Amino acid sequence: MRIRELETKAVQIRMDVLNMIHQAKTGHTGGSLSNTDILTALYYHVMKVDAHNPKWEERDRFIASKGHSVESLWCILADLGFFPKEELQTFSQFGTRLIGHPNNKVPGIEMNTGALGHGLAVGVGMALAAKRDRKDYRVFCLMGDGEQAEGSVWEAAMAGAHYKLDNLVGIIDRNKLQISGSTEDVMGLEPLEEKWSAFGWHVVSIDGHDMKALVEALVDAPEISGKPTLVMANTVKGKGVSFAENVPHWHHHVPNEKELREALAELSCRLEQLKSQEGQVH
């Protein structure tokens, strides 16, 4: 997809996320809106995946280590045809496959996640297996910034550098908020980029809502042979809905009828802007 098409798709995914969470009356809204652009870039442009052959041996692997923000991932997998889009209506309902965290009973999901701090370690194992099997697939692992307080993240970071896993790409959704407030108030992380560099990773810091920057950073990884890549995606929690942006309460707030209408109206306006810009290009 072209950059404008990716931006349009991301807005549509945000609308699907809000509708799904509103219907289910549960979900992690803020983080799903902040990671939507990252996932859109990955699934529609960067990664090698096949909805008709989810276990394709040469596929790139994706691990949603911040598994509580699964809503955007469910919407993208459905849009790509990994499962019927109608199934989104069952999100978090009794007996559904689409629970509130990634579930590997669903095509396209590599592993169950939810307990923070586990995803990168599994990603190290997958990337090491690819090296030893002489496969050229890449492994992408999306982490939250609050998750960086988990010691297991840093054990995995050391291992990734030790084994020179340049087929491993870590991504941090750096929206600076977690369930109980600012990440810096809960457990100070800065200087976060320098810490990852000190652990032997090549660090790329970008605006996590700049689709062009996302695509370039993710496509180009690794820029340095023999080093894993860490993409610091600086994002806004609740991105795309003005009254949800940077508001800790929206970590798991479910929009009511009025909030849903207003949010969808904002996103619809954004879609019209993108369509207008596309017309000007042509």
Side-chain angles (χ1 to χ4, degrees):
M1 283 188 175
R2 292 174 298 169
I3 298 301
R4 188 72 72 225
E5 291 172 322
L6 291 168
E7 291 171 339
T8 299
K9 179 60 70 175
V11 175
Q12 294 167 338
I13 294 298
R14 284 188 169 92
M15 296 174 81
D16 289 342
V17 165
L18 289 166
N19 278 315
M20 186 176 70
I21 290 175
H22 173 75
Q23 179 175 319
K25 299 294 184 278
T26 186
H28 287 83
T29 309
S32 288
L33 295 177
S34 71
N35 73 26
T36 296
D37 295 311
I38 298 167
L39 294 182
T40 300
L42 281 171
Y43 273 92
Y44 294 93
H45 190 90
V46 176
M47 292 198 305
K48 299 180 297 182
V49 293
D50 184 353
H52 302 293
N53 185 13
K55 295 296 185 183
W56 176 38
E57 193 172 333
E58 303 300 324
R59 72 190 182 281
D60 289 326
R61 274 66 167 172
F62 174 74
I63 300 170
S65 192
K66 54 170 296 184
H68 58 282
S69 296
V70 72
E71 291 83 356
S72 44
L73 179 57
W74 287 147
C75 291
I76 286 172
L77 291 178
D79 186 62
L80 288 171
F82 281 87
F83 57 85
K85 198 165 185 179
E86 293 75 23
E87 195 170 345
L88 294 175
Q89 297 172 18
T90 73
F91 172 63
S92 282
Q93 304 305 302
F94 179 75
T96 185
R97 298 186 299 175
L98 306 185
I99 57 177
H101 291 84
N103 169 20
N104 65 6
K105 292 183 173 63
V106 180
I109 299 296
E110 300 291 344
M111 66 173 288
N112 298 345
T113 57
L116 295 174
H118 294 177
L120 188 63
V122 175
V124 166
M126 289 179 174
L128 184 57
K131 289 285 189 182
R132 293 187 172 178
D133 290 342
R134 301 183 186 277
K135 300 290 186 181
D136 65 357
Y137 62 79
R138 291 186 293 171
V139 180
F140 297 87
C141 179
L142 177 63
M143 297 173 281
D145 48 5
E147 184 177 3
Q148 304 305 295
E150 299 285 352
S152 51
V153 169
W154 299 99
E155 292 179 58
M158 282 192 289
H162 175 77
Y163 289 108
K164 300 180 175 17
L165 299 179
D166 51 14
N167 56 344
L168 176 62
V169 181
I171 308 164
I172 297 178
D173 182 7
R174 184 69 169 116
N175 59 39
K176 299 181 175 64
L177 290 174
Q178 56 192 100
I179 190 170
S180 47
S182 161
T183 55
E184 297 312 296
D185 290 338
V186 177
M187 180 62 69
L189 300 175
E190 296 298 344
L192 191 54
E193 292 176 32
E194 288 85 344
K195 288 175 181 176
W196 277 91
S197 294
F199 271 69
W201 289 56
H202 173 58
V203 178
V204 181
S205 182
I206 59 171
D207 177 347
H209 302 303
D210 181 334
M211 193 61 73
K212 185 173 184 291
L214 277 167
V215 166
E216 289 176 351
L218 295 167
V219 167
D220 289 347
E223 291 182 24
I224 299 179
S225 179
K227 275 194 171 189
T229 298
L230 188 284
V231 176
M232 189 73 67
N234 295 287
T235 60
V236 174
K237 198 151 191 167
K239 179 66 176 179
V241 179
S242 61
F243 51 88
E245 291 183 354
N246 287 319
V247 179
H249 172 64
W250 276 82
H251 179 87
H252 51 40
H253 176 69
V254 175
N256 59 34
E257 292 283 354
K258 180 176 180 291
E259 291 167 335
L260 179 66
R261 285 196 305 272
E262 292 177 356
L264 293 178
E266 283 192 20
L267 291 166
S268 293
C269 286
R270 178 58 180 154
L271 278 181
E272 290 303 314
Q273 291 173 354
L274 289 168
K275 289 177 183 176
S276 173
Q277 292 168 5
E278 184 73 12
Q280 292 171 11
V281 170
H282 294 295

